[in-house]
Amino acid sequence: MRLICFAAILLVASCGLATATATPRVSGAFGTKPVISLPTEPPDREPRVTVLWEGGGRVTQTGDVVVTDVEVRRWEGNKPYMNTYDTRQPATVVLGDGQVPYAWREALAGHAAGSRVMLVGPAGGGAPPGVGPGETLVAVFDILGGYPADARLLGEGLPELPADLRAPGPSRTLIDGSGPVVKAGAKVVVQYVGARWPARTVFDSSRRRGGPRGFTLVPGAVPPGWVEALTGRAVGSRVAVTVPAAKGFTTTGGIGVPGGGPLLYIVDIIDTF
């Protein structure tokens, strides 16, 4: 899962954020992998947030689900740790109470979609593998969007299995949207529910994971059938996606895909980039 695992990268505890002294320089346009240059001075020992570019979209709020690209580097030696630009799979972070550290809420809440924000802080006691607790990490976020946990299509409930659906059949549109059309390889934000067929047993849903999730529509980043079924559909659409039987349980794009029989996903397209 990509929901909260990123939060462990900067597990810091602080009642306030430090003012900038030794500040990294970041270049590159929003949505592209940032180029991060670090100063020769040692970093502060308190976390700090710097808004590098202010976007013009909806302002994220505490409790939102934030879909973001992120580059994380280790201060010492300016060594890369991880990024979502190369993997083409954005991070999905739930800003619920107690679910992410204070500094992450400061970095991701209260900023407009389209903003680039930098967080600098020590790894602390929750340092990820290979990183010492005293090391400083630099994270640059491109905030793609923030969404309420119950984000839904206009006038509709959250996705569920239609009671009158007797057979999965081919993938098809259940509700036509009127927003931007999803392009091949684009990022999408969706609410979804997945069930075994014909048992109709739900095995996964975005509701269980805390709210909408972000994906890149490329093979291997989403469950089988999603790329073909969602490409060309408009934002605001609800799509039934049929997945043939798999040989065994696999994980694709952070979603478990159980084997043993055909699967059916009901997917609501909330946004695209």
Side-chain angles (χ1 to χ4, degrees):
M1 290 178 60
R2 290 184 174 268
L3 283 176
I4 302 301
C5 59
F6 289 99
I9 294 172
L10 291 178
L11 189 58
V12 292
S14 173
C15 60
L17 296 175
T19 56
T21 54
T23 303
R25 297 191 307 274
V26 179
S27 59
F30 176 91
T32 64
K33 185 177 178 180
V35 177
I36 302 172
S37 301
L38 300 182
T40 57
E41 298 89 349
D44 288 332
R45 299 311 303 160
E46 296 292 334
R48 65 179 185 271
V49 171
T50 304
V51 178
L52 304 174
W53 177 264
E54 190 68 49
R58 176 185 177 275
V59 175
T60 61
Q61 304 174 31
T62 299
D64 272 359
V65 178
V66 176
V67 178
T68 180
D69 277 315
V70 59
E71 162 95 4
V72 179
R73 301 187 76 85
R74 303 164 73 167
W75 184 286
E76 185 176 357
N78 195 8
K79 298 177 182 178
Y81 184 78
M82 60 78 59
N83 78 84
T84 64
Y85 300 90
D86 292 339
T87 62
R88 300 184 68 186
Q89 185 62 36
T92 303
V93 182
V94 181
L95 296 182
D97 292 339
Q99 297 197 51
V100 292
Y102 169 80
W104 271 64
R105 293 199 303 271
E106 288 293 308
L108 294 175
H111 302 295
S115 297
R116 171 166 281 188
V117 180
M118 178 174 64
L119 171 61
V120 180
V131 176
E135 287 192 60
T136 295
L137 298 176
V138 180
V140 176
F141 301 93
D142 281 343
I143 300 175
L144 301 174
Y147 308 88
D150 65 346
R152 61 190 67 194
L153 305 184
L154 183 64
E156 301 291 338
L158 293 175
E160 58 185 20
L161 296 182
D164 59 349
L165 193 63
R166 301 305 177 192
S171 298
R172 59 201 182 278
T173 300
L174 303 179
I175 297 174
D176 283 313
S178 58
V181 173
V182 176
K183 299 179 180 179
K187 295 181 176 69
V188 293
V189 178
V190 302
Q191 294 272 30
Y192 70 90
V193 60
R196 299 175 183 269
W197 195 268
R200 302 174 67 93
T201 305
V202 173
F203 63 85
D204 193 10
S205 73
S206 54
R207 182 184 303 179
R208 292 180 181 178
R209 294 175 178 265
R213 299 201 67 205
F215 299 96
T216 303
L217 278 184
V218 293
V222 289
W226 281 37
V227 173
E228 297 80 7
L230 301 185
T231 300
R233 301 298 203 278
V235 170
S237 296
R238 174 169 292 174
V239 183
V241 185
T242 302
V243 178
K247 293 182 179 179
F249 187 92
T250 59
T251 301
T252 306
I255 296 180
V257 182
L263 308 175
L264 177 67
Y265 292 93
I266 306 298
V267 183
D268 286 0
I269 305 174
I270 305 297
D271 206 352
T272 189
F273 312 99

